[in-house]
């Protein structure tokens, strides 16, 4: 909801007033003057880590004497006592741990030992899990025992260690660059696959092209390191996690920032690590969106960032709200969020607030110290300047320790009952789980399906194939396709006639389902089951394919983007005669670039049903898409889609379309692109807050949903704001606005954007020694290099500066969102826009009822 031209002017104005001097910026940790903290709290810089002697700290933990242990990402371990209130930490108070260990990315004191997870980029030591002990009682950790060698490379490797709530075992967090280990058992069925119906498109810049399912894994380990159990999978780069008072585990995962503004991009997010869960990371374009039934949704989407440490506030001398909060650390954007979780059915919902922010503030880990009730956090990683900080509460609210008791509701208890079936042998597991496989709560449904999917298929295959409840059948057949089909990327099962026969049985069973009798979730599962079955068992015969097309084509296009996503893919794979026309209509009418890109991707290999006019419309879209903006791989993905589309043309089509195919796209400035979005619109009036607020008090009835969505796009909102599964990531996610804002409050945010700026998206001003000034968001650091995104409209517009060249940095008091955005909209259009945003994009909301 901003134009880059106005944004640049506003930011340039603000730089004159807000920069904080850094002094010796290149040799000091970020000063507290450049750190903002929640009202009532105080941050102290206790220690600037001498980089040449102690490296860059990435992990913190407490030992059995409440001493802090810190790890250098490329070096060893250090131990020290927390300094007294009002005191700083001095280098002479820090001792080097003598154990011959390095590159520790995870620390845990448990069972009278220090457990460490090594992730050695430089391969000077085997990555894996080690145990450090005191060999002679002199209070020095000098004995090193390797419990398990693990193979990892670079980032996304072997990470955090956590003590289980019952204090009997250890959980290990690993990213998707860690090779899976041979586990004793697994709660996750070992039939994972990529499951792309259309040809795979790996990352456009070559990142991790060979990394396939299952992605990052969370293990449960015995104290002696001999028993390993897979608890959850499907993560990208989880670095840490934490247990809440209910004994539930939560982690903070990153998605691929190269994918900003593509349909497959997913924001960094909080995931509830339930037994047997799978969170859908797959290579390249294959990441599963939240609506896919074969993965679970996030508890809370956070936004762009680089997740590092996670800790709960239990034991902190903070107000009760923050003692119960989950604190998550974002390394690249320099944030610590307080996430407030609330039980919701079989899982949780959450709300975030910015707790601490700085620029740059590459936060790596945080702990709560039981002696003084303060939070200690470190900055560092990737050889950047490191430091240790303390956060104390100095406000007027009560901060007495609160007793936090487990609160397990009825649905969570049911989920736990079903999850007990994921371990060991349970003769009656099918009968216990089956009644719940169509439960409206996704987490209960998942627990029931996993309890069945892990069993020998002969115990439940016929029940799935002939289940009379068609909704249950749609869910059960998806599990059956995964349990019996062949993953073409991993080739875990033999391509036997028995397997191929099962594939046909699944398709025939699906064909007997009445699509219209299913609810929307069941419909999604049915179409996704077709996809997985055709991936794992191969393309069906022409007769069967024609039957599937006849069954699904009648419902395409659908009312929702999610269903159109699946139907367009599936019908294109089956070469349905009508999908070219219907797909192009959807492409032409789609409001956002994400939707358009998804339809273009689905149609790229289609060879039937085209006319010259449809082909021309399709390839003209690529001229338009050349001016779309996204992450670092965005333009390459557009190129890949176009290359595949060209390759699908016949020689005759190539000749007919030769001029269009040879045409060079006209690259426009961001301002020109935004002007096109508002083309045909003229100034209506200078809307005042009170006037619109009064209208909205009775005006949000019988609104026009489609027009509200159109206004959201016309105002440029999708360019910067996430809404549902679409939109940019350079402004706050507006999906949950209805739960945060009244119509008056939302109007105030739009009309007076600088009155209260979301701290997550405050730009940073950088003044260099040569007098040059830069404006942007700090998105990455490495050694002495700071990377800024200098055009919030274009996530891939980045500039690198050296810390030693920086004189000052500071936040802006001026919002990057310009005022006056509503002045080109009529009264009804403004009300439709408000209704669309406040409804969360729900067509069934009361705002739109007649």
């Amino acid at each position: 909801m901003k134009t880059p031209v106005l944004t640049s002017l506003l930011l340039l104005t603000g730089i004159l007033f807000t920069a904080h001097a850094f002094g010796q910026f290149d040799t000091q940790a970020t000063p507290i003057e450049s750190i903002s903290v929640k009202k009532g709290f105080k941050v102290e810089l206790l220690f600037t880590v001498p980089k040449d002697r102690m490296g860059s700290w990435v992990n913190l933990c407490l030992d059995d004497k409440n001493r802090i242990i810190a790890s250098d990402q490329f070096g060893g371990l250090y131990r020290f006592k927390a300094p007294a209130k009002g005191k700083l930490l001095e280098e002479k108070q820090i001792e080097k741990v003598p154990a011959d260990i390095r590159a520790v990315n995870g620390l845990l004191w448990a069972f009278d030992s220090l457990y460490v997870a090594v992730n050695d980029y430089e391969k000077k030591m085997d990555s894996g899990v080690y145990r450090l002990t005191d060999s002679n009682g002199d209070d020095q950790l000098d004995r090193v025992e390797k419990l398990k060698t693990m193979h990892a490379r670079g980032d996304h490797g072997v990470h955090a260690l956590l003590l289980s709530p019952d204090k009997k075992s250890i959980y290990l967090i690993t990213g998707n660059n860690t090779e899976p280990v041979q586990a004793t058992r697994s709660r996750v069925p070992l039939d994972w696959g990529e499951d792309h119906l259309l040809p795979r498109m790996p990352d456009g810049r070559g990142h991790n092209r060979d990394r396939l399912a299952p992605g990052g894994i969370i293990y449960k380990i015995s104290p002696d390191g001999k028993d390993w159990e897979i608890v959850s999978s499907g993560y990208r780069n989880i670095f840490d996690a934490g247990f809440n008072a209910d004994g539930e585990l939560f982690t903070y995962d990153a998605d691929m920032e190269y994918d900003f503004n593509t349909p497959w991009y997913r924001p960094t997010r909080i995931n509830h690590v339930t037994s047997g869960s799978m969170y859908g990371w797959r290579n390249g374009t294959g990441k599963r969106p939240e609506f896919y039934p074969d993965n679970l949704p996030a508890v809370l989407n956070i936004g762009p960032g680089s997740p590092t440490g996670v800790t709960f506030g239990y034991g902190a001398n903070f107000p009760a709200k923050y003692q119960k909060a989950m604190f998550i650390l974002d390394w690249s954007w320099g944030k610590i969020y307080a996430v407030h979780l609330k039980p919701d059915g079989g899982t949780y919902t959450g709300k975030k607030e910015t707790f601490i922010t700085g620029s740059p503030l590459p936060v790596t880990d945080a702990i709560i110290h039981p002696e003084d009730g303060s939070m200690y956090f470190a900055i560092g990683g990737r050889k950047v300047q490191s430091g240790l900080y303390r956060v104390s509460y100095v406000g007027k609210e009560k901060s007495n320790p609160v007793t936090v008791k487990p609160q397990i509701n009825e649905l969570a208890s049911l989920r736990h009952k079903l999850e007990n079936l994921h371990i060991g042998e349970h003769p009656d597991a099918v009968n216990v789980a089956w009644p719940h496989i169509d439960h409206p709560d996704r987490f209960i449904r998942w627990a029931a399906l996993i309890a069945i999917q892990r069993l020998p298929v002969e115990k439940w295959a016929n029940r799935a194939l002939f289940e009379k409840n068609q909704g249950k059948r749609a869910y059960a057949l998806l599990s059956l396709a995964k349990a019996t089909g062949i993953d073409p990327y991993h080739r875990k099962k033999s391509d036997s006639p028995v397997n191929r026969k099962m594939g046909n049985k699944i398709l025939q069973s699906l064909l007997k389902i009445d699509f219209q009798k299913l609810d929307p979730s069941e419909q999604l599962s049915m179409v996704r089951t077709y996809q997985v079955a055709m991936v794992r068992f191969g393309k069906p015969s022409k007769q069967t394919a024609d039957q599937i097309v006849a069954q699904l084509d009648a419902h395409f296009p659908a009312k929702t983007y999610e269903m159109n996503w699946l139907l367009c893919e599936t019908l294109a794979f089956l070469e349905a005669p009508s999908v070219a026309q219907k797909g192009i209509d959807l492409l032409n009418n789609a409001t956002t670039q994400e939707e358009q890109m998804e339809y273009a991707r689905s149609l790229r290999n289609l060879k039937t049903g085209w006319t010259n006019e449809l082909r021309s419309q399709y390839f003209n879209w690529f001229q338009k898409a050349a001016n779309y903006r996204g992450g670092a791989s965005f333009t390459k993905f557009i190129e890949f889609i176009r290359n595949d589309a060209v390759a699908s043309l016949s020689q005759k089509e190539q000749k007919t379309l030769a001029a269009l195919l040879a045409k060079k796209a006209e690259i426009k400035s961001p301002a020109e692109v935004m002007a096109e979005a508002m083309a045909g619109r003229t100034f209506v009036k200078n809307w005042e807050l009170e006037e619109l607020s009064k209208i909205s008090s009775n005006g949000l009835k019988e609104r026009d949903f489609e027009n509200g969505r159109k206004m959201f796009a016309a105002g440029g909102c999708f360019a910067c704001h996430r809404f549902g599964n679409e939109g940019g990531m350079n402004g706050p996610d507006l999906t949950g606005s209805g739960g945060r804002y009244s119509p008056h409050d939302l109007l105030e945010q739009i009309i007076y954007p600088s009155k209260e700026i979301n701290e997550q998206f405050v730009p940073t001003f950088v003044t260099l020694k040569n007098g040059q000034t830069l404006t942007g968001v700090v998105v990455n650091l490495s050694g002495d290099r700071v990377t800024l995104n200098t055009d919030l409209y274009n996530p891939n517009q980045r500039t690198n500066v050296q810390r030693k060249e920086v004189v000052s940095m500071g936040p802006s008091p001026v919002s990057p969102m310009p005022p006056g955005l509503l002045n080109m909209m009529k009264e009804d259009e403004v009300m439709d826009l408000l209704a669309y945003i406040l409804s969360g994009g729900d067509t069934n909301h009361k705002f739109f009822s007649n």
Side-chain angles (χ1 to χ4, degrees):
M1 297 177 69
K2 58 182 177 289
T3 64
V5 173
L6 283 173
T7 297
S8 298
L9 291 174
L10 288 168
L11 298 182
L12 188 59
T13 301
I15 191 169
L16 299 176
F17 304 102
T18 61
H20 294 297
F22 266 62
Q24 295 298 316
F25 181 81
D26 56 322
T27 59
Q28 295 294 315
T30 303
I32 57 173
E33 293 83 4
S34 295
I35 299 174
S36 299
V37 65
K38 203 73 181 175
K39 184 178 180 181
F41 292 85
K42 180 180 73 172
V43 178
E44 303 169 82
L45 171 57
L46 300 178
F47 183 63
T48 291
V49 180
K51 192 189 305 185
D52 58 337
R53 299 187 296 280
M54 293 184 180
S56 192
W57 292 359
V58 291
N59 288 107
L60 303 174
C61 83
L62 295 170
D63 69 6
D64 57 338
K65 294 182 175 63
N66 288 327
R67 293 171 294 193
I68 298 174
I69 298 176
S71 67
D72 169 17
Q73 188 178 23
F74 293 91
L77 303 178
Y78 300 89
R79 186 175 70 179
F80 51 90
K81 291 181 179 180
K85 286 291 181 74
K87 300 291 185 180
L88 301 180
L89 180 64
E90 298 180 26
E91 185 174 347
K92 65 183 180 181
Q93 296 171 316
I94 302 173
E95 57 181 327
K96 179 82 163 60
V97 174
D100 186 15
I101 199 79
R102 55 170 280 113
V104 171
N105 272 222
L107 289 167
L108 172 67
W109 185 275
F111 311 109
D112 298 319
S113 307
L114 180 65
Y115 289 83
V116 302
V118 170
N119 189 69
D120 194 354
Y121 291 54
E122 298 173 335
K123 298 189 181 300
K124 296 177 180 178
M125 186 172 193
D126 287 343
S127 293
V129 178
Y130 294 77
R131 179 167 56 190
L132 310 185
T133 53
D134 177 358
S135 67
N136 56 14
D138 65 351
D139 194 31
Q140 294 295 322
L141 297 171
D142 56 355
R143 183 172 181 265
V144 179
E145 178 186 5
K146 181 164 62 176
L147 301 183
K148 174 78 76 172
T149 296
M150 303 183 75
H151 299 285
R153 68 183 192 198
D155 289 327
H156 311 199
V158 188
H159 289 155
L161 295 159
L162 298 90
L163 186 63
S164 65
D166 64 8
K167 296 181 170 52
K168 294 181 180 179
S169 56
I170 297 168
Y171 281 73
L172 171 66
I173 309 299
T174 66
N176 65 349
N177 270 346
T178 310
E179 297 288 345
V181 302
Q182 187 69 41
T184 312
R185 59 193 172 279
S186 176
R187 301 185 196 180
V188 181
L190 302 179
D191 48 37
W192 48 58
E194 296 293 295
D195 291 322
H196 307 314
L197 183 62
L198 300 178
R200 182 167 73 103
M201 291 173 60
D203 176 67
R205 291 164 59 94
H207 177 76
N208 269 357
R209 284 190 166 210
D210 61 338
R211 307 310 295 180
L212 301 177
I217 295 176
I218 296 177
Y219 299 92
K220 184 179 179 182
I221 309 169
S222 62
D224 61 7
K226 294 180 180 179
D227 186 83
W228 285 61
E229 179 182 37
I230 296 175
V231 174
S232 182
S233 72
Y235 303 96
R236 181 173 177 266
N237 190 21
I238 44 177
F239 190 80
D240 202 354
F243 286 97
N244 73 353
D246 298 334
E248 302 283 357
L249 183 61
F250 298 86
T251 191
Y252 179 28
D253 196 12
D255 210 73
M256 184 65 171
E257 61 272 22
Y258 288 1
D259 294 346
F260 281 162
N261 297 105
T262 67
W264 50 89
Y265 172 71
R266 306 177 306 182
T268 68
R269 53 204 188 133
I270 305 298
N271 293 324
H272 183 191
V273 185
T274 57
S275 175
S277 52
M278 204 288 292
Y279 275 95
W281 177 84
R282 291 297 183 265
N283 186 279
T285 62
K287 288 181 290 294
R288 295 176 188 169
E290 290 195 343
F291 68 83
Y292 267 30
D294 47 340
N295 73 173
L296 286 168
V299 167
L300 178 67
N301 287 321
I302 300 298
S306 180
T308 48
V310 173
T311 191
F312 278 86
Y314 306 131
N317 187 25
F318 292 173
K321 175 183 178 180
Y322 296 100
Q323 292 183 45
K324 299 175 184 178
M326 176 186 180
F327 293 96
I328 59 172
L329 281 63
D330 172 0
W331 184 84
S332 62
W333 285 56
K335 316 284 182 184
I336 298 180
Y337 298 101
V339 176
H340 307 286
L341 298 170
K342 180 182 177 181
D344 181 29
T347 184
Y348 293 74
T349 56
K351 292 184 178 180
K352 69 173 183 180
E353 63 173 321
T354 301
F355 184 66
I356 291 174
T357 182
S359 184
L361 196 71
V363 285
T364 55
D365 203 5
I367 57 173
I368 305 297
H369 202 291
E371 293 179 352
D372 62 12
S374 297
M375 172 189 286
Y376 290 78
F377 71 86
I379 66 171
R382 293 189 179 175
K383 299 184 179 181
V384 304
Q385 181 57 58
S386 192
L388 180 73
Y389 299 79
R390 178 165 55 202
V391 185
S392 307
Y393 184 66
V394 294
K396 297 180 180 180
E397 290 186 51
K398 291 182 179 180
S399 57
N400 299 330
V402 297
T403 301
V404 185
K405 297 180 180 179
Q407 295 180 333
I408 308 299
N409 62 32
E410 184 178 346
L411 289 178
S413 294
L414 174 57
R415 174 173 58 79
H416 292 162
K417 177 183 175 182
L418 294 168
E419 288 173 347
N420 288 335
L421 304 176
H422 299 174
I423 307 168
E425 299 295 328
H426 299 271
D428 203 34
V430 174
N431 291 329
V432 172
W434 204 269
H436 306 292
I437 63 173
D438 63 341
H439 198 285
D441 186 298
R442 282 183 70 174
F443 281 75
I444 292 174
R445 186 163 73 236
W446 184 276
L449 287 165
I450 293 299
I452 292 166
Q453 190 174 328
R454 65 187 293 272
L455 299 172
V457 291
E458 58 268 19
K459 291 187 176 183
W460 57 280
N462 282 341
R463 191 165 180 176
L465 290 165
F466 300 104
E467 169 60 53
K468 293 182 180 179
N469 181 313
Q470 295 189 7
K472 283 188 175 180
R473 188 190 300 185
Y475 292 126
L477 291 178
L478 180 55
S479 288
L480 186 60
K482 289 177 177 287
T484 57
I486 305 163
D487 170 20
Y489 292 102
H490 294 79
R491 315 302 299 186
K492 289 183 178 177
K493 297 185 181 74
S494 62
D495 185 12
S496 67
V498 174
N499 289 98
R500 291 195 297 274
K501 188 175 181 181
M502 177 60 76
N504 188 57
K505 287 181 178 180
I506 291 172
L507 295 180
Q508 293 304 316
S509 184
L510 288 168
L511 283 167
K512 293 183 174 72
I513 293 177
D514 186 339
F515 188 89
Q516 291 181 302
K517 290 184 177 180
L518 304 180
D519 67 28
S521 175
E522 293 165 346
Q523 290 173 345
L524 289 171
S525 185
M526 175 186 172
V527 181
R528 179 61 180 156
T529 303
Y530 269 127
Q531 292 191 344
V532 173
M534 291 188 289
V535 169
R536 298 200 174 209
F537 299 102
K539 199 166 187 176
S541 66
K542 185 179 186 309
Q543 180 182 2
T544 301
D546 289 345
Q547 290 176 309
I548 297 170
V549 168
Q551 182 189 38
L552 299 183
D553 190 54
H555 308 288
F556 179 62
K559 293 181 179 180
T560 66
Y561 168 46
E562 292 81 6
M563 181 53 73
N564 282 330
W565 177 319
L566 287 178
L567 286 173
C568 193
E569 280 185 327
T570 307
L571 292 169
F573 175 80
L574 293 170
E575 297 285 341
S578 68
V579 74
Q581 178 68 66
K582 292 180 177 180
I584 291 297
D585 288 345
L586 285 169
L587 178 68
N588 289 335
N589 293 318
T591 306
T592 69
Q593 68 181 46
E594 286 91 345
E595 282 188 76
Q596 295 172 28
M597 196 171 183
E598 180 54 38
Y599 299 134
R601 178 171 69 127
S602 290
L603 297 172
R604 72 187 197 275
N605 301 114
L606 180 69
K607 295 185 177 180
T608 59
W610 292 102
T611 63
N612 287 339
E613 175 59 26
L614 289 176
R615 285 290 197 191
S616 295
Q617 291 181 45
Y618 184 38
F619 283 100
N620 272 317
W621 175 81
F622 290 101
Q623 300 284 318
K624 178 181 177 182
N627 287 289
Y628 288 163
R629 298 293 181 267
S633 292
F634 185 87
T635 56
K636 293 299 294 183
F637 280 126
I638 295 289
E639 179 185 328
F640 289 169
I641 294 171
R642 188 180 187 279
N643 289 344
D644 284 352
V646 171
S648 72
L649 296 172
S650 67
Q651 289 187 347
K652 181 179 178 181
E653 287 174 318
Q654 290 188 27
K655 186 175 180 180
T656 301
L657 298 168
L660 177 55
L661 295 178
K663 184 179 178 181
K664 298 270 188 186
E666 180 186 354
I667 305 301
K668 303 171 184 176
S669 70
E672 289 174 316
V673 174
M674 188 65 71
E676 283 189 0
M678 300 295 287
R681 308 194 66 80
T682 58
F683 177 81
V684 176
K685 67 179 296 185
N686 186 20
W687 288 108
E688 297 292 338
L689 173 60
E690 294 306 320
E691 179 183 7
L692 286 176
S693 180
K694 184 177 180 180
I695 295 170
S696 70
S697 63
N698 293 307
L700 298 184
K701 299 175 183 178
E702 301 182 14
R703 302 315 319 169
D704 186 328
F705 177 88
E706 289 302 328
N707 192 53
R709 182 173 171 80
K710 181 180 178 182
M711 291 302 102
F712 195 82
C717 307
F718 277 120
C720 302
H721 293 280
R722 194 78 176 168
F723 198 77
N725 293 317
E726 304 168 280
M729 292 308 307
N730 291 321
D733 189 323
L734 297 181
T735 310
S737 295
R740 299 195 301 271
Y741 301 118
S742 67
H744 176 90
D745 292 339
L746 181 58
L747 284 166
E748 185 175 46
Q749 289 282 322
I750 298 172
I751 295 173
Y752 303 117
S754 294
K755 184 174 182 180
E756 183 179 348
I757 307 174
N758 187 311
E759 288 185 331
Q760 184 182 2
F761 300 96
V762 175
T764 296
F765 302 133
V766 180
T767 303
L768 303 181
K769 292 179 180 178
N770 63 5
Q772 182 184 5
T773 58
L774 299 170
T775 301
V777 176
V778 177
V779 294
N780 205 351
L781 303 101
S782 181
D784 292 326
R785 188 185 69 204
V786 179
T787 302
L788 295 168
N789 170 210
T790 53
D791 179 355
L792 299 186
Y793 182 72
N794 182 1
N796 196 35
Q797 183 63 50
R798 298 187 173 193
T799 300
N800 294 319
V801 297
Q802 293 296 316
R803 287 172 62 97
K804 63 184 179 180
E805 297 301 322
V806 174
V807 174
S808 61
M809 297 180 75
S812 168
V814 181
S815 172
M817 188 175 86
L821 288 170
L822 301 180
N823 294 344
M824 296 176 72
M825 297 183 189
K826 300 175 184 177
E827 178 182 310
D828 279 344
E829 292 174 330
V830 175
M831 293 303 110
D832 289 340
L833 172 63
L834 284 181
Y836 177 71
I837 296 173
L838 293 173
S839 73
D842 179 6
T843 56
N844 297 317
H845 195 279
K846 64 181 180 180
F847 292 156
F848 309 111
S849 59
N850 295 318

